[in-house]
């Protein structure tokens, strides 16, 4: 089977590696328009248990990623000059660039051909030339856009605006910093992803400059700088598709669906799509059967995560109207938004650690 993969993000690279293992006679060619050093962003959240599925498909890849994860079991907030923290389920993160490098190396070991710095040919010529075309070209997918009516695509931009920054300091867990300004709250989602580095993603109803943000959060960044990497204010792109395949073209990862970044699940969904598609190509005797099995298997989990993502996005968007709450109320609302975690879970989880809502620092 000759397979064309458009895009070397987590979905495209993981699929390329998995399918070389599940269908060893496959020939896999990947196109990526950017060099890996040019990738955007900083660290991405990847819960360690997201690697369980990767390990089922490819143990060396799972081990390679696990070695790079920074992990924590705590959620912290700072508002009105006070810090609170609670125990939470185990989370982890790694730099997006490292994630891509580990995936690329595994693809090279498995004989995947990669055209780097090269835009993928158009969907029509690829689908004639290849047995299968995998659109792994992200939320703005060119392949999907060319066939938008066939896929039944909806793309929505959701408030509030965000900017993806980094900080040259390692926070010790997922931390939400809130600065209440006369123009509304400015919220930073902060977490470590490698020694001396944290993601510092900021949301606001207006667009402060990086210098203004450094000042707003100066008390939490003593001696540290905010970092930029293709950072600009944007709105989250919510992508959904009524169908994930058309003929021999199939959507994976963000090209198929996005889930709001505040639930830190896009990479996991991309890896799970990749595994499911590679497994279906091995299990099903026909290509249409494999593509149908892939979509049927993945849709419920994806739509569930998208629902949680929407609720989480709405909660953050509503912060400006909700007005200032006490730090305790804010922490409880924050960790229980979307219904994924209840305070019961957190308290039960807190044995030996800070119980939910415990003030761990009064600074
Ligand atoms: C601000 C922000 C923060 C996020 N934080 C997290 C997080 O903490 N945890 C998490 O799990 N997820 C997070 N996500 C989501 C996560 O980044 C994506 O869900 C994930 O990267 C999807 O992987 P993908 O491979 O489908 O797409 P992408 O990572 O977007 O990769 C697509 C690739 O295709 C390439 N490409 C595009 N068009 C072409 C073309 N025509 N030819 C060749 N190549 C092409 C692109 O250059 C890119 O490398 C975040 C997203 C945003 C916007």
């Amino acid at each position: 089977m000759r397979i064309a993969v458009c895009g070397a993000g987590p979905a495209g690279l993981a699929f390329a590696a998995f399918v070389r293992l599940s269908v060893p006679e496959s020939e896999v060619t990947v196109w990526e328009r950017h060099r890996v050093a040019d990738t955007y962003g900083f660290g991405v959240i990847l819960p360690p248990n997201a690697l369980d599925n990767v390990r089922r498909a490819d143990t060396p890849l799972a081990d390679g990623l696990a070695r790079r994860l920074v992990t924590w079991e705590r959620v912290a907030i700072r508002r009105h000059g006070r810090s609170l923290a609670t125990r939470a389920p185990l989370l982890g993160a790694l730099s997006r660039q490292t994630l891509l490098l580990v995936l690329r190396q595994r693809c090279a070991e498995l004989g995947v051909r990669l055209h780097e710095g090269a835009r993928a040919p158009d969907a029509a010529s690829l689908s004639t030339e290849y047995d299968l075309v995998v659109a792994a070209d992200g939320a703005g997918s060119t392949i999907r856009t060319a066939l938008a009516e066939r896929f039944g695509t909806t793309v929505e931009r959701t408030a509030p605006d965000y900017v993806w920054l980094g900080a040259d300091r390692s926070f010790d867990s997922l931390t939400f910093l809130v600065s209440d300004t006369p123009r509304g709250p400015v919220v930073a989602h902060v977490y470590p992803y490698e020694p001396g580095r944290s993601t510092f993603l900021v949301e606001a109803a207006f667009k402060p400059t990086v210098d203004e943000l450094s000042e707003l959060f100066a008390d939490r960044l003593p001696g540290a700088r905010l970092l930029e990497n293709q950072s600009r204010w944007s709105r989250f792109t919510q992508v959904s598709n009524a169908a994930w395949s058309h003929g021999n073209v199939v959507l994976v990862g963000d090209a198929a669906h996005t889930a709001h970044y505040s639930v830190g699940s896009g990479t996991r969904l991309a890896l799970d799509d990749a595994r499911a598609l590679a497994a279906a190509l091995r299990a099903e005797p026909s290509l249409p059967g494999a593509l149908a099995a892939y979509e049927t298997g993945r849709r419920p989990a994806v739509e569930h995560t998208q629902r949680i993502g929407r609720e989480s996005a709405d909660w953050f968007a509503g912060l400006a109207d909700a007005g200032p709450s006490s730090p305790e109320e804010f922490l409880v609302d924050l960790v229980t938004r979307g219904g994924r975690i209840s305070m019961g879970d957190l308290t039960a989880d807190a044995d030996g650690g800070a119980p939910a809502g415990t003030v761990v620092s009064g600074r």
Side-chain angles (χ1 to χ4, degrees):
M1 177 180 268
R2 296 183 68 236
I3 303 176
V5 178
C6 308
L13 290 170
F15 168 75
F18 295 157
V19 79
R20 288 284 302 134
L21 291 165
S22 67
V23 185
E25 66 278 16
S26 58
E27 274 177 37
V28 185
T29 306
V30 180
W31 282 265
E32 170 53 50
R33 62 184 173 181
H34 292 144
R35 309 233 159 238
V36 74
D38 299 335
T39 196
Y40 58 88
F42 293 89
V44 289
I45 288 186
L46 187 64
N49 66 8
L51 296 180
D52 294 349
N53 279 340
V54 175
R55 185 160 281 108
R56 281 182 200 112
D58 186 1
T59 304
L61 176 59
D63 290 345
L65 293 173
R67 274 198 297 279
R68 268 84 174 189
L69 277 187
V70 172
T71 60
W72 63 85
E73 286 179 285
R74 209 174 93 106
V75 177
I77 61 131
R78 182 172 170 89
R79 193 172 198 183
H80 306 318
R82 289 181 60 215
S83 297
L84 297 176
T86 182
R87 282 284 296 265
L90 185 66
L91 277 180
L94 79 174
S95 98
R96 178 175 160 90
Q97 194 167 341
T98 302
L99 169 70
L100 296 179
L101 285 170
V102 172
L103 284 162
R104 277 180 180 223
Q105 181 170 347
R106 189 65 183 133
C107 282
E109 286 163 9
L110 292 168
V112 172
R113 192 176 316 143
L114 172 67
H115 297 301
E116 192 177 10
R119 283 188 169 274
D122 64 78
S125 53
L126 284 175
S127 63
T128 318
E129 238 182 274
Y130 287 83
D131 300 312
L132 173 65
V133 180
V134 179
D137 48 350
S141 170
T142 309
I143 303 275
R144 184 200 65 220
T145 304
L147 296 165
E149 278 186 23
R150 305 288 185 177
F151 290 122
T153 306
T154 33
V155 177
E156 221 182 303
R157 300 256 171 196
T158 60
D161 292 299
Y162 74 85
V163 61
W164 196 354
L165 302 169
D168 63 352
R169 168 184 158 188
S170 200
F171 279 69
D172 59 3
S173 64
L174 178 60
T175 305
F176 293 87
L177 309 176
V178 188
S179 176
D180 290 288
T181 78
R183 300 176 71 189
V186 181
V187 182
H189 307 219
V190 188
Y191 52 86
Y193 65 88
E194 64 185 28
R197 288 283 185 277
S198 297
T199 285
F200 202 96
L201 190 150
V202 181
E203 292 182 335
F206 59 106
K207 299 174 182 168
T209 64
V210 173
D211 285 346
E212 287 166 340
L213 290 170
S214 302
E215 241 171 75
L216 279 177
F217 294 109
D219 62 333
R220 296 308 286 158
L221 292 164
R225 278 178 317 128
L226 290 182
L227 309 171
E228 295 178 71
N229 178 15
Q230 301 171 49
S231 308
R232 55 182 174 275
W233 284 96
S234 354
R235 288 201 162 183
F236 176 71
T237 310
Q238 177 80 45
V239 174
S240 299
N241 286 279
W244 291 359
S245 65
H246 170 65
N248 65 347
V249 182
V250 64
L251 307 175
V252 293
D254 276 13
H257 46 73
T258 57
H260 194 253
Y261 53 77
S262 60
V263 293
S265 299
T267 308
R268 172 188 216 141
L269 292 178
L271 296 174
D272 285 348
D273 282 2
R275 187 179 87 97
L277 180 58
L281 289 168
R282 181 195 178 96
E284 298 294 327
S286 73
L287 183 62
L291 300 185
Y294 154 68
E295 180 170 340
T296 310
R298 289 292 301 139
R299 215 174 243 289
V302 164
E303 291 183 349
H304 176 69
T305 307
Q306 286 186 306
R307 263 194 307 278
I308 292 171
R310 268 191 215 102
E311 283 166 24
S312 177
D314 288 347
W315 186 83
F316 279 105
L319 275 182
D321 299 331
S325 56
S326 75
E328 287 81 1
E329 285 165 338
F330 179 70
L331 178 66
V332 170
D333 283 357
L334 176 77
V335 294
T336 57
R337 76 194 190 283
R340 269 207 305 197
I341 303 173
S342 71
M343 282 315 274
D345 293 337
L346 290 169
T347 311
D349 230 44
D351 278 348
T358 296
V359 179
V360 293
S361 158
R363 281 187 305 126

